Amino acid sequence: MRNLRLNALLAIGLVIAMLLSLAAGKVWVSPVAWLGDDLGALIIMELRLPRTVLGAAIGAALGMAGATMQGYLRNPLADPGVFGVSASAALGAVTSLYFGYAVTAWLLPAFALAGAGIGMGLLALLAGRSGSLILFTLAGVILSSLAGSLTSLMISLAPTPFATTEIVTWLMGALTDRSWDDVQLAVPIIAAGMAFLFATGRSLDALTLGEDAARSMGVNILRLQWFAVLGVGLTVGASVAAAGIIGFVGLIVPHLVRPFAGHQPSAVLLPSALAGALLVVGADSIVRILPSVSELRLGIAMSLLGAPFFMALLFKMHRELS
Amino acid sequence: MLLSFENLSLTLRGRKILDQISGAFQPGRVTVILGANGAGKSSLLSCLSGLREPKSGSVTIDDRALLSLHGKERGRMIGLLPQRPDIHWNVDVRTIVGLGRLPHSGRWGMSAADHEAVARAMEATDCADLAERKAMRLSGGEQGRVLLARVLAGEPQWLLADEPLASLDPAHQFDVLERLKNYAAAGKGVIVVLHDLTQAARFADDIMVMKDGAILAAGPRNEVMTAEIMAQAYGVEVQIGTSDTGEPLVVPVRRL
């Protein structure tokens, strides 16, 4: 298998990051206390372990979804948000907060998943069976902005200031206080989505030569399109349902991976999943350790990391062009 | 292996692109498709390669309907070199050529036979020394060779090329055409859309001339490459002579 060493290194790094993330936080719990039955073990088993597992799953989902989107659209600036799935999942979640349904723990993720599902359905209606890349991207952009403006509408019409705060805070994305319930809900859906994404690999490679060449070699473009939509919809929908919108991961991670894995789209998929998991677990550990009064939201932290990264990328492209 | 089409019609946005045309291609020969812009050459090629479903009529390969073939099976029989050279990611040349084995290889990567075919294709196009280079950093001529190697790696029974000479200098044009000719000499069928009458006359075994979605003439080079037919097809006057090498020399001289 190609990139065996890279994948092994990333996997080892991920395991180490996850162990560190379990130990680190407002209180340090050393590994010897993890399996006891005192308070330390309770923190690990009921608070930090689900959070770390969820962080890894969401990071893997977003990284792989980003790599697939960039391969599918043959555009290194594409990210999983382009299909409008994350915006419609967020709209679903915000709806449940707006009506105050979120008192029942599983209703918010259920609404978010329903939002993602409706989003994918609308995408199918808008783009039709054409398999056209441009129609499809446009449909995603329309969906994305429609869901975004409806979300804003909900915020401005929120019944109480409390609901407004709740919505705005939720939208920023975080892994705070996630439990095994969230893991049980999100991880199977993410796994199913990643299976779809993984299956697109060879077809994405063929697309490197353009759509006509890919089709002439037997690639079914329509099938590829729906695998990409289902994969991105399931992974991103479940991620948003569990943690809100965490931007930039899907955009950055494939770029970080390419210098080591090469540019071939299928070769980027698995390393992107591992590196995405590593990035989110690491970033989530850092926001937890930072000595701030209230915890920095993970979504904000990722954006703060992402912007300078893209400036560096811009400068690099600038140098290559001149 | 015979490739033929019967009563082929294609309509795009209410406009007739191909109008009830029929014809056949011979393996072991280079067939050049000629015709003015918009005559339907590329549309015919996309029907022949199975990319477009005709409104009516059928394409038959070896007594089997093309559209009844599974995508990969079709890909093994017919290789297409599209008009626009597309390389979207900066991968190395060996990987690009390896993509040509997609119709043959299973889900889990390439077999030894696949690697051999890739090596043969790179040998046949003199790409072997480019193997480790990044595809996007190549010159236009090198890219053309690499993309040709990609098609050859699939070892298709039929090789369809849509204007493979666009943006190539004369030496590289000869290079590509000679490789296509060699492929036909090995018993495969080669169908090429060209705009250059001089090169067409030099390299074609058979010529098919299209006009307004119909076939104006088809047959061996010497029967079709005549001043009358070229005048009808393009509205230009051509002079036909013989070059030092004994090949026909066709030069367009003025518009009629």
Side-chain angles (χ1 to χ4, degrees):
Chain A
M1 201 176 116
R2 286 159 304 143
N3 291 321
L4 194 63
R5 256 181 55 194
L6 176 66
N7 287 323
L9 274 176
L10 283 170
I12 293 168
L14 177 61
V15 170
I16 293 172
M18 286 176 80
L19 291 176
L20 281 177
S21 145
L22 285 178
K26 290 281 183 255
V27 284
W28 175 270
V29 183
S30 75
V32 280
W34 287 5
L35 288 173
D37 44 5
D38 56 355
L39 192 63
L42 199 67
I43 292 178
I44 296 296
M45 284 305 159
E46 293 304 320
L47 292 176
R48 290 194 189 158
L49 190 56
R51 181 172 178 165
T52 302
V53 168
L54 199 59
I58 288 170
L62 294 176
M64 202 172 190
T68 308
M69 289 297 294
Q70 293 181 4
Y72 175 64
L73 297 175
R74 282 162 280 160
N75 185 336
L77 295 179
D79 82 74
V82 174
F83 281 168
V85 178
S86 53
S88 42
L91 178 62
V94 167
T95 311
S96 80
L97 290 170
Y98 179 90
F99 290 112
Y101 292 161
V103 278
T104 319
W106 56 271
L107 264 178
L108 185 144
F111 264 69
L113 287 172
I118 293 169
M120 286 191 284
L122 279 176
L123 199 62
L125 276 180
L126 282 169
R129 290 178 43 81
S130 64
S132 152
L133 210 66
I134 294 176
L135 271 184
F136 205 65
T137 314
L138 271 178
V141 170
I142 292 169
L143 189 64
S144 193
S145 76
L146 178 67
S149 48
L150 285 177
T151 303
S152 304
L153 186 70
M154 291 226 165
I155 294 173
S156 65
L157 293 183
T160 61
F162 176 70
T164 312
T165 321
E166 214 181 13
I167 293 173
V168 172
T169 320
W170 185 87
L171 278 177
M172 289 171 187
L175 286 167
T176 321
D177 302 333
R178 293 304 185 269
S179 67
W180 286 111
D181 292 340
D182 297 286
V183 174
Q184 274 170 8
L185 189 79
V187 170
I189 299 174
I190 286 177
M194 285 175 72
F196 276 111
L197 295 180
F198 200 68
T200 61
R202 292 299 277 163
S203 304
L204 294 182
D205 286 351
L207 268 187
T208 303
L209 297 169
E211 209 168 309
D212 280 356
R215 287 177 62 207
S216 78
M217 289 188 287
V219 171
N220 185 336
I221 294 287
L222 205 60
R223 178 175 167 272
L224 170 62
Q225 178 178 303
W226 289 114
F227 269 52
V229 171
L230 273 173
V232 171
L234 291 172
T235 50
V236 174
S239 301
V240 173
I245 293 181
I246 298 174
F248 277 108
V249 178
L251 192 58
I252 298 175
V253 164
H255 284 278
L256 291 174
V257 162
R258 275 195 198 98
F260 307 101
H263 285 220
Q264 193 179 354
S266 68
V268 180
L269 290 182
L270 190 55
S272 289
L274 292 168
L278 185 59
L279 182 65
V280 170
V281 169
D284 186 51
S285 309
I286 291 170
V287 296
R288 227 184 310 155
I289 301 167
L290 279 183
S292 55
V293 181
S294 65
E295 196 178 291
L296 178 62
R297 308 293 290 183
L298 180 61
I300 301 176
M302 286 313 305
S303 306
L304 286 175
L305 277 173
F309 172 81
F310 263 87
M311 261 183 320
L313 194 74
L314 194 76
F315 279 122
K316 187 170 155 257
M317 281 164 79
H318 208 77
R319 265 204 314 277
E320 277 172 9
L321 285 176
S322 61
Chain B
M1 274 261 204
L2 201 70
L3 181 63
S4 62
F5 53 99
E6 199 146 346
N7 292 323
L8 215 56
S9 289
L10 184 69
T11 312
L12 289 181
R13 290 179 214 90
R15 215 173 67 104
K16 267 191 180 168
I17 307 292
L18 299 177
D19 191 9
Q20 295 269 329
I21 58 174
S22 305
F25 301 95
Q26 303 294 328
R29 295 171 77 83
V30 175
T31 304
V32 170
I33 302 179
L34 293 175
N37 293 103
K41 307 181 296 293
S42 292
S43 301
L44 175 59
L45 219 56
S46 63
C47 286
L48 290 175
S49 53
L51 294 191
R52 226 190 266 283
E53 198 171 332
K55 189 173 146 229
S56 62
S58 63
V59 177
T60 312
I61 180 162
D62 217 17
D63 294 327
R64 297 171 70 186
L66 184 70
L67 289 172
S68 74
L69 297 179
H70 184 258
K72 274 192 160 186
E73 199 176 6
R74 192 193 67 218
R76 286 194 290 271
M77 292 188 179
I78 296 180
L80 175 71
L81 187 60
Q83 186 169 354
R84 215 155 37 100
D86 258 338
I87 299 178
H88 284 282
W89 296 103
N90 206 10
V91 294
D92 58 47
V93 166
R94 194 192 304 281
T95 307
I96 290 282
V97 179
L99 288 178
R101 292 303 291 176
L102 270 177
H104 297 267
S105 55
R107 182 163 291 279
W108 304 111
M110 307 219 299
S111 65
D114 289 333
H115 286 291
E116 279 165 30
V118 169
R120 272 198 302 277
M122 304 220 307
E123 206 63 47
T125 50
D126 288 328
C127 290
D129 51 332
L130 300 177
E132 311 301 328
R133 294 265 303 276
K134 295 288 181 196
M136 282 167 108
R137 302 240 185 280
L138 302 175
S139 71
E142 288 169 332
Q143 274 192 6
R145 245 157 61 206
V146 168
L147 290 175
L148 180 60
R150 192 278 296 171
V151 186
L152 294 183
E155 297 176 328
Q157 287 298 319
W158 291 89
L159 196 165
L160 278 51
D162 197 352
E163 291 183 41
L165 306 186
S167 76
L168 293 184
D169 65 48
H172 282 106
Q173 292 188 4
F174 274 99
D175 189 70
V176 166
L177 287 171
E178 270 157 17
R179 291 175 207 284
L180 291 176
K181 192 110 182 155
N182 288 342
Y183 199 63
K188 315 283 183 144
V190 174
I191 302 170
V192 196
V193 170
L194 286 185
H195 271 309
D196 186 324
L197 295 183
T198 315
Q199 294 287 35
R202 188 177 291 122
F203 278 96
D205 295 308
D206 296 320
I207 292 179
M208 181 178 281
V209 185
M210 297 186 68
K211 190 186 182 187
D212 300 333
I215 290 173
L216 191 64
R221 169 179 67 180
N222 293 339
E223 289 173 22
V224 178
M225 188 52 90
T226 64
E228 296 80 45
I229 292 175
M230 292 304 118
Q232 279 179 49
Y234 291 99
V236 298
E237 185 182 326
V238 297
Q239 268 181 14
I240 301 181
T242 307
S243 72
D244 297 344
T245 53
E247 306 279 333
L249 185 66
V250 176
V251 182
V253 286
R254 63 188 168 95
R255 218 158 64 161
L256 289 172

